[in-house]
Amino acid sequence: MARTDKMKLGTFVYTFGFHPASWLHPASDVNGANDFAHLLDVAKRSEAAKFDFMFMADSPAAAVGDPKALARIPTKMNRFEPLSLLSALAVTTNDLGLVATVSTSYYEPYNVARLFASIDHLSKGRVCWNVVTSDHDETGYNFNREGLDPHALRYERGNEFVDVVFGLWDSFEEGALLLDRENGVYYDKDKHHTLNHKGKHFQVRGPLNIARTPQGRPVIAQAGGSEPGMDMAARTAEIVFSLASNIDRNRAFYENVKRRMPAHGRDPDDLKIMPGIVINVGETEAEAKAKVDYLIDKMHPDVGRLMLSEFLEADLRDVALDKPFPMDRLPAAPKGSRALFDELVDFVRSGRTVGELIRHYAEKHTGNGMTGTPAQIADFMEEWFDTRAADGFILMFPTLPSSLDDFVRLVLPELRRRGLFREEYEGKTLRENLGLSMPVNRFAKTKEPAR
Ligand SMILES: Cc1cc2nc3c(=O)[nH]c(=O)nc-3n(C[C@H](O)[C@H](O)[C@H](O)COP(=O)(O)O)c2cc1C
């Protein structure tokens, strides 16, 4: 059956764009990493396009690896702490949803609950927490660890972490603030709750010292592709950023995650699956392809080797570009993202060279690289949306803001002509614009009805 709802869209933000060579593009702002004006500009353009949100991907560590290569790729080496940035964006934008990654492996639930609740108030209901357990060893080195904790442990802690945060966000019920000056009572003590959580990983008394937020609680995003990742998403997430490998795999993933939701008492429509896609659009196919080639040619081979080393968890510093990929360097069991690892290994299994893999990766990255004319890109997005491989997309623009502008100028009118994307925001909060239901406070739910 044809869908009647609209596609959801978000801008994926690395400072200069998603492509590792984006900062070398003459249209990018080379000072942008520490310049709020640049990121506000990206936000304003996303908001003018009526996108649902802007997403600050993050990890609490600089990248590690070959220093020669690191010096050529600034993305992870110089960036804003995302919640500080979101606070500034909260008061300088009006409608755009604001999404940031925070890891459950290295924070405390009380801090995270408090930070996001504050930004939900500052933004009047537009914030979303992207819950990650982190997937690179370098994060552990900054937090008293020798690297990443094992995958199962990360998810065990992550699930308990989210439960505690949800519990803290329920500290004040809806309408708990009486603001009664006459009697000198600020809030209703019967609508104020202490969590008293004592679990395996956390002991948190509560309550949280900030009122229930405009969205009831901030929206939750998640991006795990593994079994425990999908379970966590089905239990708690309202947006899932998936790895867009191909339409069949994504349909199966979509179906798989949504099928798990009723067991958690959730309606599958309360979760929007948004694959990350890299968009290269041109007026003609040749123009689009030329944009891809321009950036790939700008990318130094050391950068390609470094990025592959990171995702394939193998040291590729010395490998020759024109030789077949050295399969014997691959780990038996990768610790990080399994889906991306498998996708890249599939590509080289047929004897392709290191140089070809770098080119493939540079074009596709962690998403499905879509290069073409506006009609071709709209066809691609429509098919994924209509056949339920996606409820929308997180758009990984190769360069910011120029590829975002290209998308808005060339693809968005075509999506709107086909009735696939909104003309105006439907609501004021991110939750309303995504069409998500309001969460019910756990304490209010369990109360005896009034007689
Ligand atoms: C579109 C997209 C965005 C992601 N953003 C982040 C991020 O900002 N920070 C992070 O640590 N991991 C990020 N990830 C990685 C996931 O959180 C997760 O670690 C990865 O998909 C592996 O899943 P698994 O742990 O269930 O195997 C992202 C993944 C995707 C597909």
Side-chain angles (χ1 to χ4, degrees):
M1 212 174 59
R3 296 181 70 153
T4 51
D5 58 335
K6 304 272 187 229
M7 192 179 274
K8 310 298 171 203
L9 294 178
T11 304
F12 181 106
V13 180
Y14 280 160
T15 307
F16 306 102
F18 196 67
H19 199 284
S22 54
W23 72 281
L24 298 170
H25 196 287
S28 71
D29 174 2
V30 78
N31 296 308
N34 311 117
D35 183 5
F36 177 63
H38 165 65
L39 290 148
L40 179 61
D41 180 50
V42 172
K44 290 279 188 196
R45 287 169 201 257
S46 303
E47 190 168 70
K50 318 285 177 202
F51 283 4
D52 292 84
F53 59 81
M54 155 168 165
F55 164 47
M56 301 305 303
D58 191 59
S59 128
V64 293
D66 176 7
K68 283 201 315 300
L70 289 174
R72 295 182 183 279
I73 171 167
T75 307
K76 294 186 178 172
M77 308 312 281
N78 181 17
R79 58 176 15 173
F80 279 115
E81 186 287 310
L83 296 187
S84 313
L85 180 66
L86 252 49
S87 305
L89 289 170
V91 295
T92 45
T93 56
N94 297 307
D95 298 294
L96 188 69
L98 302 169
V99 185
T101 297
V102 170
S103 173
T104 55
S105 295
Y106 309 117
Y107 288 69
E108 286 288 326
Y110 198 91
N111 298 128
V112 169
R114 194 169 183 218
L115 285 160
F116 276 98
S118 298
I119 302 174
D120 207 37
H121 282 290
L122 286 169
S123 64
K124 299 191 165 45
R126 294 182 287 124
V127 84
C128 167
W129 171 27
N130 179 38
V131 180
V132 303
T133 65
S134 294
D135 57 2
H136 289 102
D137 276 334
E138 64 251 25
T139 52
Y141 303 148
N142 293 332
F143 298 90
N144 312 307
R145 319 272 217 289
E146 294 303 321
L148 275 182
D149 287 337
H151 193 263
L153 175 63
R154 295 204 309 273
Y155 272 106
E156 184 187 270
R157 179 186 154 105
N159 275 304
E160 189 182 333
F161 193 117
V162 175
D163 287 346
V164 176
V165 171
F166 279 16
L168 290 169
W169 282 336
D170 280 345
S171 297
F172 281 97
E173 283 181 42
E174 202 80 48
L177 298 193
L178 299 172
L179 316 180
D180 179 354
R181 284 180 170 168
E182 210 169 300
N183 296 299
V185 183
Y186 185 74
Y187 67 83
D188 179 351
K189 67 174 175 37
D190 294 334
K191 292 188 172 177
H192 187 231
H193 307 279
T194 303
L195 185 63
N196 284 321
H197 175 88
K198 284 198 175 86
K200 183 164 173 194
H201 298 276
F202 302 104
Q203 186 171 324
V204 182
R205 193 192 62 177
L208 192 65
N209 51 353
I210 186 163
R212 190 161 185 80
T213 78
Q215 297 189 97
R217 64 172 179 240
V219 173
I220 298 294
Q222 213 260 335
S226 60
E227 277 292 314
M230 288 191 281
D231 266 339
M232 185 195 246
R235 213 165 66 79
T236 60
E238 298 169 299
I239 300 171
V240 165
F241 300 136
S242 67
L243 195 70
S245 46
N246 70 53
I247 191 165
D248 292 330
R249 252 191 233 179
N250 275 266
R251 269 194 218 120
F253 176 83
Y254 184 107
E255 208 273 317
N256 189 337
V257 175
K258 295 218 176 187
R259 183 167 18 92
R260 296 169 193 236
M261 293 178 69
H264 298 289
R266 301 188 62 210
D267 178 347
D269 284 344
D270 272 331
L271 170 59
K272 308 298 169 194
I273 298 207
M274 302 180 68
I277 54 170
V278 180
I279 302 268
N280 289 286
V281 60
E283 310 250 10
T284 62
E285 270 182 61
E287 188 190 303
K289 180 83 178 52
K291 287 184 186 171
V292 176
D293 289 343
Y294 179 86
L295 284 173
I296 294 180
D297 292 343
K298 285 253 173 221
M299 198 173 102
H300 194 278
D302 285 346
V303 171
R305 289 189 186 95
L306 176 84
M307 303 200 78
L308 292 184
S309 301
E310 190 182 311
F311 286 107
L312 292 172
E313 298 176 26
D315 188 351
L316 303 171
R317 241 177 284 196
D318 57 337
V319 295
L321 296 180
D322 57 352
K323 292 278 172 354
F325 185 85
M327 301 295 277
D328 57 342
R329 295 212 189 165
L330 293 175
K335 291 208 272 181
S337 169
R338 182 82 221 196
L340 178 59
F341 180 89
D342 289 346
E343 207 259 321
L344 295 174
V345 173
D346 275 355
F347 183 84
V348 281
R349 223 180 275 282
S350 52
R352 285 194 256 199
T353 65
V354 174
E356 283 169 334
L357 179 61
I358 289 178
R359 217 177 163 83
H360 169 80
Y361 180 75
E363 191 172 335
K364 298 212 159 202
H365 291 265
T366 59
N368 198 335
M370 184 58 213
T371 300
T373 63
Q376 285 170 331
I377 288 172
D379 286 349
F380 170 95
M381 294 173 78
E382 184 168 10
E383 190 188 3
W384 280 54
F385 181 67
D386 264 356
T387 63
R388 294 188 188 272
D391 295 312
F393 298 91
I394 175 82
L395 302 168
M396 295 155 148
F397 297 112
T399 55
L400 283 172
S402 56
S403 320
L404 165 60
D405 286 347
D406 290 347
F407 182 86
V408 168
R409 184 170 54 86
L410 297 168
V411 183
L412 216 49
E414 183 60 25
L415 293 177
R416 289 201 167 116
R417 200 184 57 73
R418 298 180 190 194
L420 291 168
F421 189 63
R422 68 163 68 85
E423 303 278 347
E424 288 301 331
Y425 285 108
E426 297 86 9
K428 283 310 285 175
T429 68
L430 173 61
R431 188 172 285 288
E432 286 166 359
N433 287 321
L434 289 171
L436 300 169
S437 54
M438 275 298 266
V440 178
N441 187 301
R442 70 186 58 191
F443 297 107
K445 213 164 46 176
T446 55
K447 227 181 247 169
E448 288 284 306
R451 283 166 210 264

